[in-house]
Amino acid sequence: MSDNYARRGVSADKKEVHQAIKGLDKGLYPTAFCKILPDIAGGDADWVNLMHADTAGTKTSLAYLYWKETGDLSVWKGIAQDAIVMNLDDMMCVGCTNDILLSSTIGRNKHLIPGEVVSALIQGTAEILEELREYGIDIHSAGGETADVGDIVRSLDVGFTAFARLPKDQLLINAMQPGDVIVGIASFGQASYESNYNSGIGSNGLTNARHDVLHKEYAQSYPEAYSPQIPEELAFSGPHHLQDPLPGTSINVGQALLSPTRTFLPLMKQVLDQHRSDIHGMIHCTGGGLTKVMKFVEGLHVIKDQIFPTPPIFKLIQSCSGASWKEMYQVFNMGQRLEIYTDQKTAESIIALAQSFQIEAQIIGRCESADRNRLTVVGEETIEYP
């Protein structure tokens, strides 16, 4: 992994974090995608509790730049969506698609972030939840906290915490097996419930993406948009401006980097209603990208040899950064942010359901028995992990 990640203060593998939590209880089902607790809230032995917290990460800094340059307040609804989906789609991977409580935490530098931005975030959150209700997905707002913390936040930090109860018989616990095929669900394109083309970027890798792609003039004009600890040569070291067109798409570079993280809930609610017992595993390819699955398998060689062609935003990031394809596959979702592990017949049905939402889906690989966990990705290059 390039040391530019560390020099910019980020980590793709979060070794220090994993070291800090290695001794903690992993919950009732250690191979589940999210930690699952006994039903502490309800006291029912046949139910479990889920609680999840996540943020939009440094994507808020990119939204700040775009808003300052264009005055476009709509970017803040996108940031609310990023933080919400990073919670909901993780919980979806253990079978939870409904009746979720959601609470926000917004930390702002009041000198730079006015009330209209906070209003756009809060109103955007309400609109997102209303849009999900149209697909039978009830997410209930429990309010939250908005704090003026300019001493510790350079511009804005946006996060959510989600809570749900779920019957044990609805849980989806990762148990991938030899013979499984892997369905890749695309994060790019325009789903039937989206109003614009989505680049597929999601909410991971944005620190490097924005610094590698965007022009030095942003560092000079907006020093508050990045940490002063980042070496000068690594701060906004790219060739592009926010409003440069992105080749192969109808949007500009800034809009591509800011494409709101697509939720797969409308699709996956139908998939789970029809095929819950046929799914052997589900991976939300966020931190860790296409290597994320390796945290959840045992005695398998995971082969991804039919992945989607690299979407334009990831080609741009790789070209600007010079990152190896091995790094790219480890940091970014590369256009397939959701993987479903199942049998061939179920896979075909899931692909048809995805297409009904105008979401691309295809079998991207398979699982084979192995004496040690291995991952092979065949894309721009053939990469072996570890």
Side-chain angles (χ1 to χ4, degrees):
M1 183 71 63
S2 168
D3 67 354
N4 285 355
Y5 292 86
R7 294 176 69 196
R8 286 175 174 148
V10 293
S11 169
D13 54 25
K14 298 184 179 180
K15 285 184 179 178
E16 291 180 343
V17 174
H18 292 303
Q19 178 67 23
I21 65 174
K22 69 176 184 179
L24 296 182
D25 173 32
K26 297 184 183 300
L28 295 176
Y29 306 95
T31 64
F33 195 81
C34 297
K35 185 173 181 177
I36 299 172
L37 299 170
D39 185 24
I40 298 165
D44 190 327
D46 294 326
W47 288 63
V48 296
N49 290 170
L50 307 173
M51 181 170 276
H52 197 282
D54 213 334
T55 76
T58 63
K59 204 169 180 180
T60 54
S61 180
L62 182 61
Y64 173 78
L65 286 183
Y66 200 86
W67 166 67
K68 292 290 285 186
E69 285 285 295
T70 67
D72 184 359
L73 279 168
S74 71
V75 297
W76 298 112
K77 178 181 177 181
I79 289 297
Q81 180 169 324
D82 290 316
I84 290 171
V85 173
M86 293 297 280
N87 282 283
L88 299 188
D89 281 29
D90 272 11
M91 294 171 72
M92 173 190 76
C93 287
V94 297
C96 182
T97 62
N98 207 3
D99 293 329
I100 299 170
L101 300 179
L102 195 68
S103 178
S104 66
T105 305
I106 301 171
R108 69 165 175 164
N109 186 324
K110 188 178 180 181
H111 296 294
L112 299 174
I113 305 297
E116 66 177 357
V117 170
V118 176
S119 294
L121 283 166
I122 293 172
Q123 182 60 36
T125 297
E127 291 173 4
I128 292 162
L129 301 191
E130 184 60 36
E131 290 162 7
L132 286 173
R133 287 188 194 102
E134 294 177 8
Y135 293 91
I137 300 162
D138 289 319
I139 314 296
H140 308 276
S141 174
E145 164 71 356
T146 300
D148 294 334
V149 286
D151 283 342
I152 57 174
V153 174
R154 296 186 67 79
S155 56
L156 187 69
D157 183 54
V158 179
F160 284 87
T161 300
F163 171 82
R165 295 178 69 233
L166 196 67
K168 283 183 177 179
D169 61 9
Q170 292 185 21
L171 283 172
L172 198 161
I173 308 301
N174 284 323
M176 297 79 155
Q177 56 196 43
D180 280 348
V181 298
I182 310 166
V183 181
I185 310 292
S187 55
F188 62 90
Q190 186 173 342
S192 60
Y193 49 87
E194 292 176 321
S195 57
N196 297 291
Y197 171 85
N198 196 315
S199 73
I201 186 72
S203 296
N204 293 97
L206 269 296
T207 296
N208 267 20
R210 77 180 199 277
H211 283 298
D212 286 330
V213 169
L214 297 179
H215 197 275
K216 178 64 71 177
E217 71 176 43
Y218 296 114
Q220 297 162 350
S221 299
Y222 304 104
E224 69 272 23
Y226 70 101
S227 168
Q229 281 73 43
I230 293 178
E232 184 178 356
E233 70 273 16
L234 294 181
F236 294 100
S237 55
H240 290 284
H241 293 85
L242 288 164
Q243 297 187 68
D244 289 350
L246 176 64
T249 75
S250 59
I251 60 177
N252 62 40
V253 168
Q255 291 167 330
L257 291 170
L258 281 167
S259 285
T261 306
R262 170 182 294 170
T263 179
F264 295 107
L265 274 174
L267 163 63
M268 291 310 302
K269 186 176 189 300
Q270 290 195 18
V271 169
L272 290 173
D273 284 348
Q274 297 180 34
H275 298 294
R276 189 180 299 262
S277 62
D278 301 312
I279 294 174
H280 305 147
M282 191 146 51
I283 301 296
H284 188 200
C285 300
T286 52
L290 297 190
T291 70
K292 183 91 171 186
V293 64
M294 299 309 286
K295 299 179 184 295
F296 302 96
V297 297
E298 187 62 41
L300 286 182
H301 183 191
V302 179
I303 303 167
K304 302 180 185 180
D305 57 359
Q306 299 177 67
I307 64 175
F308 293 106
T310 305
I313 188 59
F314 301 109
K315 287 185 176 180
L316 181 76
I317 293 168
Q318 194 279 330
S319 174
C320 292
S321 67
S324 69
W325 288 108
K326 185 170 187 176
E327 291 176 5
M328 292 293 295
Y329 294 137
Q330 188 170 348
V331 174
F332 298 100
N333 69 71
M334 302 304 287
Q336 45 235 323
R337 214 187 70 245
L338 183 65
E339 297 173 353
I340 302 172
Y341 292 72
T342 187
D343 61 86
Q344 180 78 33
K345 183 178 179 181
T346 303
E348 292 169 1
S349 176
I350 291 171
I351 290 168
L353 283 170
Q355 291 171 345
S356 74
F357 285 94
Q358 298 175 21
I359 297 173
E360 290 195 42
Q362 65 188 43
I363 293 175
I364 63 168
R366 64 194 184 279
C367 296
E368 296 180 352
S369 181
D371 56 2
R372 62 182 178 86
N373 289 340
R374 296 172 54 203
L375 170 64
T376 300
V377 178
V378 180
E380 300 289 342
E381 297 177 357
T382 298
I383 311 293
E384 300 283 347
Y385 301 88

